Amino acid sequence: MNALRRLEGVDWVRWGVLTLPSLFAIPSAPAWTWPLIALVAACSVPVLLLRTVRPPWLLPTVLVLVIAVTGALWVLRPGGFTSVSMFGATFFTLRSFGRLASAFAVAAATGTIVAWSITQHLGWLNALAILCVLIVMVLLAANRRSRVERLEQTELALARAQTAAEEHGRAAALAERARIARELHDVLAHSLAGLALNLQGARLMLVRDGASDDALAQVERAQKLASEGLSEARNAVAALREDVVPVERTVSDLLTAYRLDSGARADLVVEGEQRELDASVGATLVRAVQEALVNTRKHAAGAEVDVRLVFGADEVALTIADRQGRRPPDAPAPGYGLRGMSERVALLDGALESGPGEDGWRIQLTVPV
């Protein structure tokens, strides 16, 4: 269900432009026009109340209907100000929606202007002047859409540049870690291994020659310290080469790649106290996001994606939802990807739910930690 949002001044202005001219015409309008006025008021409600109207074709449809109805009122009652609503709805449609909705809006407004010019017996110059107002609106809307597209392209280019810079920095850090790991392995670890072998040989020689217990104890202690140092050096090398990345960072990188590939919005919300997770838990969460994004690319290309990661006291919850703008059909049978995801979650004693939601596919899993 779409959430209501806090109304801003621009919302009230837009609603007033679409509705108030028709409402002000009620006292002088005949009764047979009241249903048309009521239709205009009803169609303007989605513009005022809802943040995202679903399905996506509903809002442009009602705006085109507002253009047609207010245009009819303008032609039938030329003394009113319903033309303000018609031109306002036309501009809003041209500015906010695609070519198909804009074409219908321009056609409806042009037909209204032609009909009004004929009924008012205007000369062709006066009719052309009114049409010029519509042409100016088309140009202004086209300019705004072009500016928005340029801004989006700029933001996309900046995001790609930032991602490239992050990857470059990450690659440099990994290269430095690998260099340090090689130095530790080739110098320190080898030296400690050789030291441990020499001390073992020294202990055997002392035993053969009947050395005192104190001398044997000192050599054995030195051998133990060398062995422990060798173990610590190997652990340090393994840690440097492993480069553990937090789950939220990995998921964020996956969503960034999806945004760059599809151009659609993909957001991550993290709640709770973030902490390092067990390797199996982290791998399960990351694989779930990967599989969900693969399915979105396959079945709902270009859909927006919302991911919510919640760190609880005893569990971690992950929700992945794509916004297709419609309820998808039920899957006849779970695919291999979802089946494998379910098996991984079951091995961790977690729970997995997946299926169609109101406006897209939704996957939710919970894993104990």
Side-chain angles (χ1 to χ4, degrees):
M1 183 176 182
N2 292 316
L4 296 178
R5 65 177 171 91
R6 185 185 300 276
L7 297 178
E8 301 175 354
V10 67
D11 300 311
W12 291 107
V13 170
R14 186 182 300 119
W15 177 83
V17 169
L18 297 181
T19 309
L20 292 182
S22 299
L23 296 179
F24 288 156
I26 291 178
S28 60
W32 59 266
T33 62
W34 292 356
L36 297 178
I37 296 174
L39 181 59
V40 172
C43 290
S44 65
V45 171
V47 178
L48 178 65
L49 292 181
L50 299 181
R51 176 174 58 187
T52 305
V53 178
R54 299 290 181 180
W57 53 262
L58 179 59
L59 188 53
T61 300
V62 297
L63 285 172
V64 172
L65 186 58
V66 168
I67 296 170
V69 175
T70 54
L73 288 172
W74 183 35
V75 173
L76 297 173
R77 302 288 297 171
F81 294 95
T82 52
S83 60
V84 175
S85 298
M86 185 199 72
F87 283 112
T90 301
F91 182 72
F92 181 52
T93 305
L94 292 172
R95 190 189 66 172
S96 305
F97 299 101
R99 294 180 180 179
L100 183 61
S102 299
F104 277 110
V106 171
T110 302
T112 300
I113 293 172
V114 172
W116 190 84
S117 301
I118 293 174
T119 57
Q120 298 301 308
H121 306 288
L122 293 182
W124 67 271
L125 285 176
N126 292 329
L128 183 61
I130 299 176
L131 284 173
C132 286
V133 176
L134 181 61
I135 294 173
V136 170
M137 287 186 174
V138 173
L139 295 176
L140 289 175
N143 179 68
R144 183 184 183 278
R145 292 173 68 88
S146 177
R147 187 174 72 252
V148 169
E149 290 177 356
R150 289 196 301 270
L151 289 174
E152 290 177 350
Q153 292 174 356
T154 301
E155 291 177 356
L156 183 60
L158 289 175
R160 288 175 174 170
Q162 182 178 0
T163 301
E166 291 177 354
E167 292 299 327
H168 179 74
R170 180 176 171 80
L174 289 176
E176 180 63 16
R177 289 165 68 102
R179 186 190 68 80
I180 296 173
R182 287 194 302 270
E183 294 294 331
L184 284 174
H185 181 269
D186 296 342
V187 178
L188 181 60
H190 284 176
S191 299
L192 288 174
L195 177 61
L197 290 174
N198 287 335
L199 288 171
Q200 184 179 8
R203 185 182 67 83
L204 294 176
M205 291 175 63
L206 289 174
V207 171
R208 183 197 62 186
D209 297 339
S212 65
D213 292 339
D214 291 339
L216 287 174
Q218 291 291 338
V219 173
E220 289 174 353
R221 188 178 300 111
Q223 182 184 1
K224 182 179 179 182
L225 290 174
S227 299
E228 291 176 352
L230 178 60
S231 177
E232 292 295 332
R234 287 174 175 171
N235 290 336
V237 170
L240 285 170
R241 291 190 178 277
E242 188 175 0
D243 188 34
V244 178
V245 180
V247 172
E248 55 272 20
R249 172 61 188 273
T250 305
V251 172
S252 178
D253 290 344
L254 291 174
L255 294 179
T256 299
Y258 177 83
R259 282 196 300 270
L260 295 177
D261 291 342
S262 64
R265 179 183 62 82
D267 294 331
L268 170 64
V269 176
V270 181
E271 299 178 4
E273 183 179 354
Q274 302 178 29
R275 58 187 182 276
E276 184 176 349
L277 300 175
D278 185 79
S280 58
V281 174
T284 299
L285 297 176
V286 171
R287 295 294 180 269
V289 175
Q290 287 177 327
E291 181 62 29
L293 293 178
V294 168
N295 290 337
T296 299
R297 289 186 175 98
K298 185 186 301 181
H299 302 291
E304 298 177 350
V305 176
D306 290 316
V307 177
R308 185 167 173 260
L309 182 62
V310 181
F311 290 86
D314 302 319
E315 62 184 16
V316 176
L318 176 68
T319 303
I320 311 153
D322 57 36
R323 309 299 183 185
Q324 304 178 22
R326 58 179 177 80
R327 181 181 178 84
D330 293 334
Y336 292 110
L338 286 175
R339 195 175 304 166
M341 187 190 307
S342 178
E343 292 172 353
R344 282 193 293 269
V345 173
L347 289 175
L348 299 175
D349 295 327
L352 173 69
E353 295 179 2
S354 65
E358 181 182 358
D359 60 346
W361 197 268
R362 184 172 179 270
I363 296 174
Q364 182 175 10
L365 60 93
T366 304
V367 181
V369 294

